[in-house]
Amino acid sequence: MTDWNAEVARIRELRAQRTRIGPGERPAVVVVDYQRAFTEHEHIGPGTAVALQHTGELLRAARAAAVPVVYLVMVLDSLDDRMLAQRVRSSLTERCERGNPWTQINPVVAAQPGDHVVEKTVASGFHRTELDALLTELRIDELVVAGTSTSGCVRATVVDAAYRDLRVSVVEECCDDFRPLSGEVALWDMQDRFADVVTLDEQLQRFAALRAERAAAPGGVPAGEPAGEPVDRSHERDAVRA
């Protein structure tokens, strides 16, 4: 019989030993599906609240360094917009029809002025959305990823980012999965083949250094878009899908 505790310990050791890809020069934080539908349901554990708090800390550091923040949110005009497996099987996405309060971003990690909100209909944040265009517009070369679930929408977005030759840093403490074993395996899989899995402390240190570097630049104006209301790009999604 498989000793799953031993297996988890082994893949954590392998993850720590794996060669890293390294960070980029123009990062953006991407927050995947931290909506009420996926953070307040009946299967969550105590780790969800902890991951949200850690993500709030990450976002504060990113904004202080003028690092763009992008929220990926599942919003469906119709439940028929979901992929086949979710239409056939029961899924939390049943709560994600437009206008349903469950689609709202969890207030612990609420969007702030100047952030970007990208709607999606499947696991990956890249599938038939304007995320590609937004990252190109902002000249982003690295995604710093937080969100839920680690083995689902986080991994799908990370894989698609890797296919686009983007550098990806998955912040371990800022990801959540109510299937703990699936989450552990997904972190190893991403580290092994698609991304770097980093700690919150090292990412906070990177953002602090970036903040100091940008503040010392000529004019002292960090890179990034000027503050304003959160940018909802759902109309662009419709254009992409047409």
Side-chain angles (χ1 to χ4, degrees):
M1 181 178 293
T2 301
D3 183 340
W4 291 110
N5 289 327
E7 284 296 304
V8 168
R10 188 176 74 87
I11 63 175
R12 285 179 176 175
E13 290 179 4
L14 290 171
R15 179 152 54 88
Q17 296 167 7
R18 194 72 167 112
T19 301
R20 286 196 173 184
I21 301 164
E25 296 182 356
R26 292 186 62 89
V29 174
V30 174
V31 182
V32 183
D33 288 4
Y34 267 155
Q35 300 162 256
R36 291 187 56 212
F38 307 118
T39 58
E40 298 179 11
H41 59 83
E42 56 273 23
H43 301 298
I44 64 168
T48 300
V50 175
L52 287 168
Q53 292 292 339
H54 285 318
T55 301
E57 188 176 0
L58 177 73
L59 293 174
R60 287 189 290 275
R63 293 179 183 121
V67 171
V69 174
V70 181
Y71 289 84
L72 301 179
V73 294
M74 178 77 73
V75 179
L76 305 164
D77 290 321
S78 166
L79 293 182
D80 290 336
D81 290 341
R82 297 176 298 167
M83 62 183 180
L84 176 61
Q86 291 178 338
R87 298 199 305 271
V88 171
R89 301 169 181 156
S90 177
S91 168
L92 292 170
T93 57
E94 293 169 0
R95 304 175 182 183
C96 291
E97 280 192 288
R98 189 178 303 280
N100 190 324
W102 285 103
T103 63
Q104 297 170 0
I105 296 170
N106 190 293
V108 176
V109 293
Q112 300 297 313
D115 294 344
H116 305 267
V117 180
V118 174
E119 295 181 0
K120 63 188 183 72
T121 60
V122 298
S124 172
F126 287 93
H127 179 71
R128 300 180 71 180
T129 74
E130 76 291 349
L131 182 58
D132 267 322
L134 174 61
L135 298 177
T136 299
E137 176 187 336
L138 297 175
R139 295 187 292 128
I140 299 302
D141 65 357
E142 177 195 4
L143 304 189
V144 178
V145 180
T148 190
S149 66
T150 311
S151 60
C153 295
V154 170
R155 183 186 178 279
T157 299
V158 165
V159 170
D160 277 359
Y163 290 162
R164 288 159 170 79
D165 277 342
L166 288 165
R167 296 172 184 266
V168 184
S169 298
V170 180
V171 186
E172 180 175 359
E173 296 94 328
C174 297
C175 293
D176 182 51
D177 200 316
F178 70 90
R179 308 171 184 86
L181 186 57
S182 294
E184 286 285 352
V185 173
L187 288 173
W188 161 234
D189 178 65
M190 289 186 284
Q191 174 71 54
D192 186 37
R193 295 189 283 181
F194 303 110
D196 291 338
V197 177
V198 303
T199 67
L200 176 59
D201 281 346
E202 60 186 302
Q203 193 60 52
L204 293 177
Q205 291 174 16
R206 278 194 58 212
F207 284 161
L210 186 59
R211 179 184 184 184
E213 176 186 331
R214 289 179 170 177
V221 179
E225 290 193 352
E229 291 303 310
V231 181
D232 183 348
R233 297 175 178 263
S234 57
H235 63 290
E236 297 178 12
R237 180 207 65 182
D238 295 336
V240 170
R241 294 179 63 184

